[in-house]
Amino acid sequence: MASHLVVRACPPFRVPGHPGVPGHPGVPGDPGVPGAAALHPELQLERDSRSLLDGAELGRARAMTPRTREDFLAGRLAQRRFAAGLLGVPASDLTAWYSCPRCGAGADISHGRPGYLLRGEAVPLLLSLSRAAGWTLLAGVVDPDPGQRLGIDVEDPARADFDGFDDVVLTPAEQRHLAGLDGIALLRGRARLWARKEAWLKMLGTGLQTAPDTLDVLAPTVNGRAGLRDLPPAETGLPADLVAAVALAVIP
């Protein structure tokens, strides 16, 4: 069976209906303290994190401010559970195995391209994660083709409202493409192109080592290679005011 892309959006931590926050019926209370997890979702988050996340992830979280820490832990838990669900294994059986072009790969790396081991063996899974406006967007491909890479990105158009954006981020062709737009239409146009660039550069693994104003992403084909497209809210589950893109291609 051919591999296929799976995308999932997770709402901001503490939003009603999200696991680990008030209003979610599946969150158990602390023994002897009925409803404690619902009243104090951060306690459930900490408990789940200590139970499921690895040492490098927990160590990175300890250096963060409380709100950033909560978002980071919630995102890592969502990613691990997402990966476990795609693989059909318990989330507790996975070991995080990140890879970074500069730092290498291993259980002591907590950043870069996400991956997991299952009983000491690399799992056949591509993963990518992005955050914006508190939302976490996850993408995965099980049993990818040889050389296949994945990148995903979500952006909040409000963050594209600053002087100099076009000169720093956009190619001349992209600037012409947005010429004549203003207001929210301009911000959404900027954010859409920025999301496409981020997704593509994540897929390549270069990140912002590549200057974004040198990468033209108006077409589905970038530098002769296909695999870039926008992700509509109906496919992601994201709010309509956010924009997202995915890059999925075979890299020789």
Side-chain angles (χ1 to χ4, degrees), residues 89-152:
V89 302
S92 57
D93 286 357
L94 298 175
T95 299
W97 193 267
Y98 278 76
S99 59
C100 169
R102 293 187 298 272
C103 304
D108 58 339
I109 303 294
S110 62
H111 62 276
R113 191 186 302 277
Y116 291 98
L117 303 182
L118 177 63
R119 303 181 190 93
E121 299 292 333
V123 300
L125 179 65
L126 296 178
L127 289 169
S128 189
L129 176 151
S130 182
R131 297 187 187 91
W135 284 78
T136 298
L137 184 61
L138 298 160
V141 175
V142 181
D143 293 324
D145 296 331
Q148 199 167 34
R149 301 276 188 86
L150 172 66
I152 199 165

Short mmCIF file of all heavy atoms in Angstrom, two decimals, residues 89-152:
data_model
loop_
_atom_site.label_atom_id
_atom_site.label_comp_id
_atom_site.label_asym_id
_atom_site.label_seq_id
_atom_site.Cartn_x
_atom_site.Cartn_y
_atom_site.Cartn_z
N VAL A 89 1.07 1.48 18.13
CA VAL A 89 1.83 1.01 19.29
C VAL A 89 1.56 1.93 20.47
O VAL A 89 1.12 3.07 20.28
CB VAL A 89 3.35 0.97 18.99
CG1 VAL A 89 3.63 0.06 17.80
CG2 VAL A 89 3.91 2.37 18.75
N PRO A 90 1.83 1.50 21.71
CA PRO A 90 1.67 2.39 22.86
C PRO A 90 2.68 3.53 22.81
O PRO A 90 3.84 3.34 22.45
CB PRO A 90 1.95 1.47 24.06
CG PRO A 90 1.75 0.07 23.56
CD PRO A 90 2.17 0.11 22.12
N ALA A 91 2.23 4.73 23.17
CA ALA A 91 3.12 5.88 23.15
C ALA A 91 4.30 5.69 24.10
O ALA A 91 5.40 6.21 23.86
CB ALA A 91 2.34 7.14 23.53
N SER A 92 4.09 4.94 25.18
CA SER A 92 5.15 4.71 26.16
C SER A 92 6.27 3.83 25.62
O SER A 92 7.35 3.77 26.22
CB SER A 92 4.57 4.09 27.42
OG SER A 92 3.89 2.88 27.12
N ASP A 93 6.05 3.13 24.50
CA ASP A 93 7.08 2.26 23.92
C ASP A 93 8.04 3.02 23.02
O ASP A 93 9.05 2.45 22.59
CB ASP A 93 6.43 1.13 23.11
CG ASP A 93 5.80 0.07 23.99
OD1 ASP A 93 5.92 0.18 25.23
OD2 ASP A 93 5.18 -0.87 23.45
N LEU A 94 7.76 4.28 22.72
CA LEU A 94 8.59 5.05 21.80
C LEU A 94 9.68 5.81 22.55
O LEU A 94 9.46 6.31 23.65
CB LEU A 94 7.73 6.03 21.00
CG LEU A 94 6.66 5.42 20.09
CD1 LEU A 94 5.83 6.52 19.45
CD2 LEU A 94 7.31 4.55 19.01
N THR A 95 10.82 5.95 21.90
CA THR A 95 11.93 6.75 22.41
C THR A 95 12.24 7.83 21.39
O THR A 95 12.44 7.54 20.21
CB THR A 95 13.19 5.90 22.63
OG1 THR A 95 12.91 4.87 23.58
CG2 THR A 95 14.35 6.75 23.13
N ALA A 96 12.24 9.09 21.83
CA ALA A 96 12.51 10.20 20.90
C ALA A 96 13.92 10.10 20.35
O ALA A 96 14.87 9.79 21.07
CB ALA A 96 12.31 11.53 21.62
N TRP A 97 14.06 10.38 19.05
CA TRP A 97 15.35 10.29 18.36
C TRP A 97 15.40 11.40 17.32
O TRP A 97 15.06 11.20 16.16
CB TRP A 97 15.52 8.93 17.71
CG TRP A 97 16.92 8.62 17.26
CD1 TRP A 97 17.46 8.84 16.03
CD2 TRP A 97 17.95 8.02 18.04
NE1 TRP A 97 18.75 8.42 15.99
CE2 TRP A 97 19.10 7.91 17.22
CE3 TRP A 97 18.03 7.57 19.36
CZ2 TRP A 97 20.30 7.36 17.66
CZ3 TRP A 97 19.21 7.02 19.80
CH2 TRP A 97 20.33 6.93 18.96
N TYR A 98 15.81 12.60 17.77
CA TYR A 98 15.85 13.76 16.88
C TYR A 98 17.18 13.81 16.13
O TYR A 98 18.19 13.27 16.60
CB TYR A 98 15.68 15.05 17.69
CG TYR A 98 14.24 15.36 18.00
CD1 TYR A 98 13.56 14.66 18.99
CD2 TYR A 98 13.54 16.33 17.29
CE1 TYR A 98 12.23 14.92 19.27
CE2 TYR A 98 12.22 16.60 17.57
CZ TYR A 98 11.56 15.90 18.56
OH TYR A 98 10.24 16.16 18.82
N SER A 99 17.16 14.45 14.98
CA SER A 99 18.39 14.61 14.20
C SER A 99 18.53 16.07 13.78
O SER A 99 17.56 16.70 13.36
CB SER A 99 18.39 13.71 12.97
OG SER A 99 17.29 13.99 12.12
N CYS A 100 19.73 16.60 13.91
CA CYS A 100 20.05 17.98 13.58
C CYS A 100 21.29 18.00 12.69
O CYS A 100 22.26 17.29 12.99
CB CYS A 100 20.29 18.78 14.86
SG CYS A 100 21.00 20.42 14.61
N PRO A 101 21.28 18.77 11.60
CA PRO A 101 22.45 18.80 10.71
C PRO A 101 23.73 19.21 11.41
O PRO A 101 24.82 18.76 11.05
CB PRO A 101 22.05 19.82 9.63
CG PRO A 101 20.57 19.87 9.67
CD PRO A 101 20.19 19.61 11.09
N ARG A 102 23.61 20.04 12.44
CA ARG A 102 24.81 20.52 13.15
C ARG A 102 25.16 19.65 14.35
O ARG A 102 26.34 19.45 14.65
CB ARG A 102 24.60 21.97 13.61
CG ARG A 102 24.51 22.98 12.48
CD ARG A 102 24.48 24.40 13.03
NE ARG A 102 23.31 24.62 13.86
CZ ARG A 102 22.13 25.02 13.40
NH1 ARG A 102 21.96 25.23 12.10
NH2 ARG A 102 21.10 25.21 14.22
N CYS A 103 24.14 19.15 15.07
CA CYS A 103 24.39 18.47 16.35
C CYS A 103 24.40 16.96 16.25
O CYS A 103 24.77 16.28 17.22
CB CYS A 103 23.34 18.90 17.37
SG CYS A 103 23.24 20.69 17.61
N GLY A 104 23.94 16.42 15.11
CA GLY A 104 23.89 14.98 14.98
C GLY A 104 22.53 14.43 15.37
O GLY A 104 21.53 15.16 15.39
N ALA A 105 22.48 13.15 15.73
CA ALA A 105 21.22 12.49 16.08
C ALA A 105 21.43 11.64 17.32
O ALA A 105 22.52 11.16 17.60
CB ALA A 105 20.74 11.62 14.92
N GLY A 106 20.32 11.45 18.06
CA GLY A 106 20.42 10.59 19.23
C GLY A 106 19.39 10.93 20.28
O GLY A 106 18.63 11.90 20.16
N ALA A 107 19.37 10.14 21.34
CA ALA A 107 18.41 10.32 22.41
C ALA A 107 18.69 11.56 23.23
O ALA A 107 17.83 12.03 23.98
CB ALA A 107 18.41 9.09 23.32
N ASP A 108 19.90 12.12 23.11
CA ASP A 108 20.24 13.32 23.86
C ASP A 108 19.99 14.60 23.08
O ASP A 108 20.28 15.70 23.55
CB ASP A 108 21.70 13.28 24.30
CG ASP A 108 22.67 13.15 23.13
OD1 ASP A 108 22.22 12.71 22.05
OD2 ASP A 108 23.85 13.49 23.29
N ILE A 109 19.42 14.49 21.87
CA ILE A 109 19.09 15.64 21.04
C ILE A 109 17.59 15.91 21.18
O ILE A 109 16.78 15.00 21.05
CB ILE A 109 19.43 15.39 19.55
CG1 ILE A 109 20.90 15.03 19.39
CG2 ILE A 109 19.06 16.58 18.71
CD1 ILE A 109 21.86 16.14 19.73
N SER A 110 17.22 17.16 21.45
CA SER A 110 15.80 17.49 21.67
C SER A 110 15.27 18.46 20.63
O SER A 110 14.20 19.05 20.81
CB SER A 110 15.60 18.08 23.07
OG SER A 110 16.32 19.30 23.20
N HIS A 111 16.00 18.65 19.52
CA HIS A 111 15.56 19.58 18.49
C HIS A 111 15.92 19.01 17.12
O HIS A 111 16.65 18.02 17.02
CB HIS A 111 16.23 20.94 18.67
CG HIS A 111 17.73 20.87 18.54
ND1 HIS A 111 18.54 20.52 19.59
CD2 HIS A 111 18.56 21.08 17.48
CE1 HIS A 111 19.80 20.52 19.19
NE2 HIS A 111 19.84 20.87 17.91
N GLY A 112 15.41 19.65 16.07
CA GLY A 112 15.71 19.20 14.72
C GLY A 112 14.58 18.36 14.14
O GLY A 112 13.41 18.53 14.50
N ARG A 113 14.93 17.43 13.26
CA ARG A 113 13.92 16.59 12.60
C ARG A 113 13.44 15.51 13.58
O ARG A 113 14.24 14.72 14.09
CB ARG A 113 14.53 15.94 11.36
CG ARG A 113 13.48 15.27 10.45
CD ARG A 113 14.16 14.52 9.31
NE ARG A 113 14.98 15.39 8.50
CZ ARG A 113 14.53 16.15 7.51
NH1 ARG A 113 13.24 16.16 7.23
NH2 ARG A 113 15.35 16.91 6.81
N PRO A 114 12.12 15.45 13.85
CA PRO A 114 11.64 14.48 14.83
C PRO A 114 11.64 13.05 14.29
O PRO A 114 11.44 12.80 13.10
CB PRO A 114 10.21 14.94 15.11
CG PRO A 114 9.80 15.69 13.88
CD PRO A 114 11.05 16.33 13.35
N GLY A 115 11.88 12.12 15.21
CA GLY A 115 11.82 10.70 14.90
C GLY A 115 11.73 9.91 16.19
O GLY A 115 11.92 10.45 17.28
N TYR A 116 11.45 8.62 16.08
CA TYR A 116 11.33 7.77 17.26
C TYR A 116 11.95 6.40 16.99
O TYR A 116 12.04 5.94 15.84
CB TYR A 116 9.86 7.57 17.64
CG TYR A 116 9.20 8.81 18.17
CD1 TYR A 116 8.42 9.62 17.34
CD2 TYR A 116 9.37 9.20 19.49
CE1 TYR A 116 7.83 10.77 17.82
CE2 TYR A 116 8.78 10.35 19.99
CZ TYR A 116 8.01 11.14 19.15
OH TYR A 116 7.44 12.29 19.62
N LEU A 117 12.38 5.78 18.10
CA LEU A 117 12.79 4.39 18.08
C LEU A 117 11.72 3.56 18.77
O LEU A 117 11.05 4.02 19.70
CB LEU A 117 14.11 4.20 18.84
CG LEU A 117 15.33 5.00 18.41
CD1 LEU A 117 16.53 4.60 19.27
CD2 LEU A 117 15.64 4.80 16.94
N LEU A 118 11.56 2.33 18.30
CA LEU A 118 10.67 1.37 18.94
C LEU A 118 11.50 0.13 19.25
O LEU A 118 11.98 -0.54 18.34
CB LEU A 118 9.50 1.02 18.01
CG LEU A 118 8.52 -0.04 18.53
CD1 LEU A 118 7.83 0.44 19.80
CD2 LEU A 118 7.49 -0.40 17.45
N ARG A 119 11.70 -0.12 20.53
CA ARG A 119 12.55 -1.23 20.98
C ARG A 119 13.92 -1.18 20.33
O ARG A 119 14.47 -2.18 19.88
CB ARG A 119 11.87 -2.57 20.72
CG ARG A 119 10.48 -2.68 21.36
CD ARG A 119 9.83 -4.02 21.11
NE ARG A 119 8.43 -3.99 21.53
CZ ARG A 119 7.43 -3.69 20.71
NH1 ARG A 119 7.68 -3.40 19.44
NH2 ARG A 119 6.19 -3.67 21.16
N GLY A 120 14.47 0.03 20.26
CA GLY A 120 15.82 0.22 19.76
C GLY A 120 15.95 0.34 18.26
O GLY A 120 17.05 0.59 17.76
N GLU A 121 14.87 0.20 17.51
CA GLU A 121 14.90 0.28 16.05
C GLU A 121 14.15 1.52 15.57
O GLU A 121 13.09 1.86 16.10
CB GLU A 121 14.28 -0.97 15.42
CG GLU A 121 14.99 -2.27 15.76
CD GLU A 121 16.36 -2.35 15.14
OE1 GLU A 121 16.58 -1.73 14.09
OE2 GLU A 121 17.23 -3.06 15.71
N ALA A 122 14.70 2.19 14.54
CA ALA A 122 14.03 3.36 13.98
C ALA A 122 12.68 2.97 13.38
O ALA A 122 12.58 1.96 12.68
CB ALA A 122 14.91 4.01 12.92
N VAL A 123 11.65 3.76 13.66
CA VAL A 123 10.33 3.46 13.13
C VAL A 123 10.21 3.99 11.70
O VAL A 123 10.83 5.01 11.36
CB VAL A 123 9.22 4.06 14.01
CG1 VAL A 123 9.29 3.49 15.41
CG2 VAL A 123 9.30 5.58 14.06
N PRO A 124 9.43 3.34 10.83
CA PRO A 124 9.26 3.79 9.45
C PRO A 124 8.23 4.92 9.37
O PRO A 124 7.09 4.73 8.94
CB PRO A 124 8.76 2.53 8.73
CG PRO A 124 7.97 1.81 9.79
CD PRO A 124 8.69 2.08 11.09
N LEU A 125 8.64 6.11 9.80
CA LEU A 125 7.69 7.21 9.93
C LEU A 125 8.37 8.55 9.72
O LEU A 125 9.41 8.82 10.32
CB LEU A 125 7.07 7.16 11.33
CG LEU A 125 6.06 8.24 11.71
CD1 LEU A 125 4.81 8.13 10.85
CD2 LEU A 125 5.70 8.13 13.19
N LEU A 126 7.80 9.37 8.85
CA LEU A 126 8.21 10.77 8.71
C LEU A 126 7.29 11.62 9.56
O LEU A 126 6.07 11.41 9.59
CB LEU A 126 8.11 11.23 7.26
CG LEU A 126 9.00 10.55 6.22
CD1 LEU A 126 8.70 11.13 4.84
CD2 LEU A 126 10.46 10.72 6.57
N LEU A 127 7.86 12.61 10.25
CA LEU A 127 7.07 13.49 11.10
C LEU A 127 7.49 14.93 10.89
O LEU A 127 8.65 15.21 10.60
CB LEU A 127 7.26 13.14 12.58
CG LEU A 127 6.66 11.85 13.10
CD1 LEU A 127 7.18 11.56 14.49
CD2 LEU A 127 5.13 11.92 13.11
N SER A 128 6.54 15.84 11.08
CA SER A 128 6.85 17.27 11.10
C SER A 128 5.83 17.95 12.00
O SER A 128 4.67 17.52 12.07
CB SER A 128 6.82 17.87 9.70
OG SER A 128 7.31 19.20 9.71
N LEU A 129 6.28 18.99 12.69
CA LEU A 129 5.42 19.72 13.65
C LEU A 129 5.64 21.21 13.46
O LEU A 129 6.75 21.67 13.22
CB LEU A 129 5.77 19.30 15.08
CG LEU A 129 5.06 19.99 16.24
CD1 LEU A 129 4.96 19.03 17.44
CD2 LEU A 129 5.78 21.27 16.67
N SER A 130 4.55 21.96 13.62
CA SER A 130 4.64 23.42 13.58
C SER A 130 3.63 24.00 14.54
O SER A 130 2.59 23.38 14.83
CB SER A 130 4.37 23.93 12.16
OG SER A 130 4.50 25.34 12.09
N ARG A 131 3.92 25.20 15.07
CA ARG A 131 3.01 25.87 16.01
C ARG A 131 2.75 27.30 15.57
O ARG A 131 3.64 27.96 15.04
CB ARG A 131 3.61 25.90 17.42
CG ARG A 131 3.84 24.57 18.07
CD ARG A 131 4.27 24.76 19.52
NE ARG A 131 4.66 23.51 20.15
CZ ARG A 131 5.89 23.03 20.16
NH1 ARG A 131 6.86 23.70 19.56
NH2 ARG A 131 6.15 21.90 20.76
N ALA A 132 1.53 27.77 15.83
CA ALA A 132 1.18 29.18 15.62
C ALA A 132 -0.07 29.49 16.42
O ALA A 132 -1.01 28.66 16.46
CB ALA A 132 0.94 29.48 14.14
N ALA A 133 -0.10 30.65 17.05
CA ALA A 133 -1.26 31.12 17.81
C ALA A 133 -1.73 30.07 18.82
O ALA A 133 -2.92 29.95 19.09
CB ALA A 133 -2.40 31.48 16.85
N GLY A 134 -0.78 29.33 19.38
CA GLY A 134 -1.10 28.31 20.36
C GLY A 134 -1.46 26.96 19.77
O GLY A 134 -1.45 25.95 20.48
N TRP A 135 -1.77 26.91 18.49
CA TRP A 135 -2.13 25.65 17.84
C TRP A 135 -0.88 24.86 17.45
O TRP A 135 0.15 25.44 17.10
CB TRP A 135 -2.97 25.92 16.59
CG TRP A 135 -4.37 26.30 16.90
CD1 TRP A 135 -4.81 27.53 17.33
CD2 TRP A 135 -5.53 25.48 16.83
NE1 TRP A 135 -6.17 27.50 17.53
CE2 TRP A 135 -6.64 26.26 17.22
CE3 TRP A 135 -5.74 24.15 16.45
CZ2 TRP A 135 -7.94 25.75 17.28
CZ3 TRP A 135 -7.03 23.64 16.49
CH2 TRP A 135 -8.11 24.43 16.90
N THR A 136 -1.00 23.55 17.49
CA THR A 136 0.06 22.65 17.03
C THR A 136 -0.46 21.88 15.82
O THR A 136 -1.54 21.29 15.87
CB THR A 136 0.46 21.65 18.12
OG1 THR A 136 0.98 22.36 19.25
CG2 THR A 136 1.53 20.68 17.62
N LEU A 137 0.30 21.90 14.74
CA LEU A 137 -0.05 21.17 13.53
C LEU A 137 0.95 20.04 13.34
O LEU A 137 2.16 20.26 13.34
CB LEU A 137 -0.04 22.10 12.31
CG LEU A 137 -0.49 21.47 10.99
CD1 LEU A 137 -1.94 20.98 11.08
CD2 LEU A 137 -0.34 22.47 9.84
N LEU A 138 0.43 18.82 13.19
CA LEU A 138 1.24 17.63 13.05
C LEU A 138 1.02 17.00 11.68
O LEU A 138 -0.10 17.00 11.16
CB LEU A 138 0.88 16.61 14.13
CG LEU A 138 1.10 17.05 15.57
CD1 LEU A 138 0.26 16.20 16.52
CD2 LEU A 138 2.57 16.96 15.92
N ALA A 139 2.08 16.44 11.12
CA ALA A 139 1.98 15.71 9.87
C ALA A 139 2.82 14.45 9.97
O ALA A 139 3.88 14.45 10.60
CB ALA A 139 2.45 16.56 8.69
N GLY A 140 2.35 13.37 9.35
CA GLY A 140 3.09 12.13 9.38
C GLY A 140 2.87 11.30 8.13
O GLY A 140 1.81 11.38 7.50
N VAL A 141 3.87 10.53 7.76
CA VAL A 141 3.79 9.59 6.65
C VAL A 141 4.37 8.27 7.14
O VAL A 141 5.55 8.21 7.52
CB VAL A 141 4.56 10.08 5.41
CG1 VAL A 141 4.54 9.00 4.32
CG2 VAL A 141 3.97 11.37 4.88
N VAL A 142 3.56 7.22 7.15
CA VAL A 142 4.01 5.89 7.55
C VAL A 142 4.55 5.16 6.33
O VAL A 142 4.02 5.27 5.23
CB VAL A 142 2.86 5.09 8.17
CG1 VAL A 142 3.34 3.71 8.62
CG2 VAL A 142 2.25 5.84 9.35
N ASP A 143 5.64 4.40 6.54
CA ASP A 143 6.29 3.65 5.46
C ASP A 143 6.60 4.54 4.26
O ASP A 143 6.13 4.28 3.13
CB ASP A 143 5.41 2.46 5.03
CG ASP A 143 5.30 1.41 6.11
OD1 ASP A 143 6.29 1.19 6.83
OD2 ASP A 143 4.21 0.81 6.25
N PRO A 144 7.36 5.61 4.46
CA PRO A 144 7.66 6.52 3.35
C PRO A 144 8.51 5.85 2.28
O PRO A 144 9.22 4.86 2.55
CB PRO A 144 8.44 7.64 4.04
CG PRO A 144 9.07 6.98 5.23
CD PRO A 144 8.05 5.98 5.70
N ASP A 145 8.45 6.40 1.08
CA ASP A 145 9.31 5.92 0.00
C ASP A 145 10.76 6.26 0.31
O ASP A 145 11.04 7.22 1.04
CB ASP A 145 8.89 6.57 -1.32
CG ASP A 145 7.49 6.20 -1.75
OD1 ASP A 145 7.05 5.08 -1.39
OD2 ASP A 145 6.82 7.01 -2.42
N PRO A 146 11.71 5.50 -0.25
CA PRO A 146 13.12 5.82 -0.01
C PRO A 146 13.45 7.25 -0.42
O PRO A 146 13.08 7.70 -1.50
CB PRO A 146 13.85 4.80 -0.90
CG PRO A 146 12.90 3.66 -1.02
CD PRO A 146 11.53 4.27 -1.05
N GLY A 147 14.11 7.98 0.46
CA GLY A 147 14.51 9.35 0.18
C GLY A 147 13.42 10.38 0.37
O GLY A 147 13.66 11.57 0.17
N GLN A 148 12.23 9.96 0.77
CA GLN A 148 11.13 10.90 0.94
C GLN A 148 11.35 11.75 2.19
O GLN A 148 11.82 11.27 3.22
CB GLN A 148 9.80 10.15 1.04
CG GLN A 148 8.58 10.99 0.76
CD GLN A 148 7.33 10.13 0.57
OE1 GLN A 148 7.18 9.09 1.19
NE2 GLN A 148 6.45 10.56 -0.31
N ARG A 149 11.01 13.03 2.09
CA ARG A 149 11.15 13.97 3.20
C ARG A 149 9.84 14.73 3.37
O ARG A 149 9.06 14.88 2.42
CB ARG A 149 12.27 14.96 2.92
CG ARG A 149 13.64 14.33 2.71
CD ARG A 149 14.36 14.05 4.00
NE ARG A 149 15.74 13.63 3.74
CZ ARG A 149 16.75 14.47 3.58
NH1 ARG A 149 16.54 15.77 3.63
NH2 ARG A 149 17.97 14.01 3.36
N LEU A 150 9.63 15.26 4.57
CA LEU A 150 8.38 15.93 4.92
C LEU A 150 8.65 17.21 5.69
O LEU A 150 9.53 17.25 6.55
CB LEU A 150 7.53 14.98 5.78
CG LEU A 150 6.26 15.55 6.42
CD1 LEU A 150 5.23 15.92 5.36
CD2 LEU A 150 5.68 14.53 7.40
N GLY A 151 7.89 18.25 5.38
CA GLY A 151 7.94 19.48 6.15
C GLY A 151 6.56 20.11 6.19
O GLY A 151 5.84 20.10 5.19
N ILE A 152 6.19 20.65 7.33
CA ILE A 152 4.88 21.29 7.46
C ILE A 152 5.06 22.60 8.22
O ILE A 152 5.98 22.75 9.02
CB ILE A 152 3.89 20.36 8.21
CG1 ILE A 152 2.44 20.78 7.94
CG2 ILE A 152 4.16 20.32 9.69
CD1 ILE A 152 1.43 19.72 8.32
#
